[in-house]
Amino acid sequence: MSMSQTASTGSQMSGHHFSPEVHRSFRAFNPLKQEWIPREFKEATPEEIDAAVTLAAAAFIRYRKMPAAQRAAFLQAIADNIILLGDALLHIASDETGLPLARLRNERDRTTNQLCLFAALITEGSWVNARIDTGTPDVRQMRIPIGVICVFGASNFPLAFSVAGGDTAAALAAGCTVVCKAHPAHPNTSEMVATAIRQSAISTGMPDGVFSLIQGATHETGQQLAIHPLLAAIAFTGSFRGGKALYETATRRPTPIPVYAEMGSVNPVFFLPRILQQKGEALAGQFIQSVTLGVGQFCTNPGIFITNGPDLPHHFIESLQKHISTIPAGFMLTPGILDAYNNGIAGLQEQGAELLANTAASLSQASAALLQISAQKVLAGPSIMHEVFGPSTLHISAGNKQELYQLANTLEGQLTATIHGTEEDLREHIELVDILREKAGRLIINGFPTGVAVNHAMVHGGPWPATTPAAGTSVGTAAIGRFVRPVCFQDFPAWLLPPELQDRNPLGIWRMVNGNFSKTL
Ligand code: NAP
């Protein structure tokens, strides 16, 4: 089978042929126009899923051994080919998600930049974490790719967390092959990007099946993929329910596999007393911007904020109310996500939260909302501190410092936790920093959690239920660590060692040699 033979009608799989018989079809929805996009997509059949994963497993045998420079050229070509798709890609993505073109242009740049960043990482080479102990026995360790990775594209990042997004870039960089389950909300966008990957694979001489795209709009398709025996791991971004379902499926397999699910969190923001006295009004405006950015459809959206009640300046809450009521209602990614948002707001109110302010309601749009509840109610009842995906935030007002700490201790695992405070505030609340360090993957001082930099130090992950498991990150080059495992070679003859571990260090990488980082032995 050859990649160039891949048919384009009906199925959106690249990297292999597929059977003509199809059982279901679906279409994308344009949230701005509130209409279905005419083109029909076929739900992948079990046979097609099996063919894609089997081909990816065969491709892995060759791909894992390809020199880093060749894999880097592949990643670079994907970035180049995505750029070549031009504005057509952005228009299609906008039709399928309702996201504005400017935002999608930024997202495309982020997507291509992260592909280039991973290309640079593997070209430099030290990411393999080579460790050499030349005693008796002689033991040498490095990281190797694990196999076929199934990537579930996210609805809220049609480019940066979908077909050629961070998970795919990290997996391909590691030397793994990828089968991607496109998010059913943007099948056309997914197909265009998959085509760019397929062309890149051909032009850089990658094995057939190094990447395949699976289209589908039912849980069965995702489940079918998750149980495939040749899969090595799953990477997922989306709802808690979806991530947990896939996690449970993966652990029940005869051969369980890891699921790296990024399921979101409430991203608490703590506003300490002095800073609110000094610049409460300015912070109120910036905070509401963060809450409502992109109609609140970010996993780092600050869903709750906590203040110390007795010291809370009234003008802060008044400013928040004023700012939120100026935010226009916005279209969400899908009708299902809008329903979930509206139900989430209703659920908060049923649990005792009071609606302080919102924007004018509209049937098909989400209105931004500010809600409030006392710490006592939160601490007495079942947790109210769970994600409501969208442009809302819940104010929890603590009665005193102890209650503030109690609330922090009650938090579940988070992607981020933020503290706003003057130096004096921070010195007086050192315990808060200690508590939050145990809760979140990223701690932020005097900033806002939305906007995740893609770099070498970023952590986008956190303890359950933010992610499974907390040891990884899905943003930044450290994300590569999810798709590798360490292997050590004991008393190997020099000629049989991989180049990364040979005495003369032909790749010139940093290694830990007898306990010290060095480029020489
Ligand atoms: P989702 O329902 O979790 O879906 C994400 C992907 O997983 C889709 O490909 C979906 O495909 C698949 N999937 C979901 N449940 C599955 C299951 N039980 N078995 C197998 N596959 C499954 O997320 P969504 O569609 O993007 O949005 C739904 C909700 O997720 C939102 O309202 C929001 O609360 C949350 N969300 C969170 C984040 C975040 O970053 N934290 C991002 C986006 C959305 P099928 O639908 O075809 O099964």
Side-chain angles (χ1 to χ4, degrees):
M1 265 181 288
S2 120
M3 284 194 172
S4 50
Q5 288 176 300
T6 306
S8 61
T9 51
S11 169
Q12 289 70 49
M13 280 177 274
S14 54
H16 70 96
H17 262 319
F18 45 84
S19 58
E21 103 256 13
V22 191
H23 51 141
R24 272 173 287 201
S25 63
F26 65 99
R27 286 184 288 166
F29 186 74
N30 183 325
L32 296 184
K33 293 187 179 160
Q34 290 286 299
E35 63 185 31
W36 294 97
I37 295 171
R39 184 171 173 199
E40 277 204 345
F41 283 82
K42 315 291 186 208
E43 183 97 18
T45 63
E47 294 74 27
E48 288 165 354
I49 291 169
D50 179 49
V53 182
T54 304
L55 195 62
F60 176 64
I61 310 290
R62 267 189 63 206
Y63 186 64
R64 68 181 177 187
K65 288 200 160 175
M66 283 190 156
Q70 224 175 319
R71 294 205 309 277
F74 176 36
L75 294 175
Q76 190 68 55
I78 298 172
D80 295 344
N81 281 324
I82 288 174
I83 297 289
L84 285 177
L85 292 172
D87 283 359
L89 174 68
L90 306 182
H91 285 287
I92 281 179
S94 185
D95 285 349
E96 292 188 317
T97 61
L99 295 171
L101 288 174
R103 141 79 200 264
L104 288 165
R105 190 163 282 116
N106 282 340
E107 193 182 321
R108 181 193 53 191
D109 291 349
R110 174 182 167 155
T111 308
T112 54
N113 286 344
Q114 69 194 359
L115 284 159
C116 297
L117 196 64
F118 276 108
L121 181 84
I122 60 174
T123 303
E124 191 281 328
S126 304
W127 74 273
V128 297
N129 198 19
R131 289 159 173 254
I132 299 176
D133 269 291
T134 56
T136 308
D138 180 298
V139 181
R140 302 179 183 219
Q141 181 198 115
M142 66 177 281
R143 305 201 285 185
I144 61 165
I146 54 175
V148 183
I149 310 301
C150 173
V151 171
F152 280 78
S155 59
N156 57 340
F157 279 95
L159 302 173
F161 271 93
S162 284
V163 178
D167 290 330
T168 298
L172 292 176
C176 294
T177 54
V178 171
V179 175
C180 176
K181 155 77 168 57
H183 194 284
H186 52 257
N188 291 281
T189 309
S190 300
E191 187 185 64
M192 280 184 88
V193 176
T195 304
I197 300 179
R198 191 175 69 224
Q199 284 164 352
S200 311
I202 293 168
S203 67
T204 55
M206 294 297 129
D208 206 0
V210 66
F211 173 89
S212 286
L213 184 70
I214 297 291
Q215 296 274 17
T218 65
H219 291 358
E220 287 97 304
T221 300
Q223 291 288 335
Q224 194 86 42
L225 262 167
I227 58 170
H228 198 289
L230 295 179
L231 222 55
I234 293 172
F236 168 95
T237 304
S239 66
F240 174 72
R241 200 188 303 175
K244 187 156 182 283
L246 288 167
Y247 178 75
E248 283 168 356
T249 299
T251 51
R252 279 199 307 266
R253 293 162 45 112
T255 310
I257 53 170
V259 175
Y260 295 101
E262 194 269 85
M263 303 176 292
S265 63
V266 292
N267 304 297
V269 176
F270 290 79
F271 288 104
L272 299 181
R274 285 189 184 78
I275 201 140
L276 283 189
Q277 295 291 353
Q278 285 178 16
K279 42 173 144 164
E281 272 183 53
L283 283 176
Q286 293 161 9
F287 180 63
I288 293 302
Q289 281 297 318
S290 176
V291 170
T292 57
L293 187 72
V295 200
Q297 299 170 112
F298 290 110
C299 39
T300 50
N301 173 271
I304 64 170
F305 66 103
I306 300 175
T307 56
N308 196 348
D311 301 319
L312 179 64
H314 288 300
H315 65 82
F316 182 57
I317 298 295
E318 280 162 20
S319 293
L320 290 169
Q321 287 175 299
K322 190 184 79 196
H323 283 290
I324 207 136
S325 50
T326 64
I327 302 291
F331 289 101
M332 297 195 83
L333 293 157
T334 66
I337 289 178
L338 176 64
D339 280 351
Y341 173 67
N342 288 332
N343 292 336
I345 298 292
L348 291 176
Q349 289 173 278
E350 275 160 29
Q351 284 185 268
E354 177 196 355
L355 184 66
L356 289 185
N358 63 353
T359 49
S362 145
L363 205 57
S364 51
Q365 290 180 295
S367 88
L370 172 68
L371 299 103
Q372 180 166 271
I373 193 166
S374 72
Q376 279 167 343
K377 269 194 193 157
V378 174
L379 294 171
S383 179
I384 195 171
M385 297 191 280
H386 51 76
E387 184 183 52
V388 175
F389 191 71
S392 77
T393 192
L394 174 67
H395 175 216
I396 304 177
S397 123
N400 51 47
K401 197 160 135 184
Q402 279 337 104
E403 227 168 44
L404 194 83
Y405 292 164
Q406 244 179 306
L407 282 168
N409 268 316
T410 321
L411 286 167
E412 296 183 304
Q414 303 291 332
L415 293 171
T416 72
T418 303
I419 305 176
H420 280 271
T422 62
E423 186 169 339
E424 227 176 328
D425 277 330
L426 296 173
R427 287 189 188 282
E428 277 177 16
H429 292 81
I430 290 290
E431 201 178 322
L432 181 61
V433 181
D434 278 350
I435 297 169
L436 295 181
R437 209 174 71 154
E438 304 307 312
K439 300 285 183 183
R442 179 162 59 109
L443 299 175
I444 301 153
I445 298 288
N446 293 334
F448 294 95
T450 39
V452 185
V454 182
N455 56 33
H456 301 295
M458 181 51 67
V459 174
H460 190 65
W464 176 273
T467 56
T468 66
T473 171
S474 60
V475 176
T477 55
I480 202 170
R482 297 169 303 161
F483 307 126
V484 293
R485 67 179 177 87
V487 61
C488 76
F489 303 86
Q490 185 169 325
D491 288 334
F492 260 47
W495 61 269
L496 201 49
L497 282 167
E500 290 87 346
L501 298 177
Q502 289 170 7
D503 282 3
R504 62 187 182 89
N505 192 12
L507 303 177
I509 60 175
W510 286 101
R511 311 187 292 186
M512 185 189 275
V513 180
N514 296 322
N516 298 310
F517 283 103
S518 151
K519 286 195 174 186
T520 54
L521 190 70

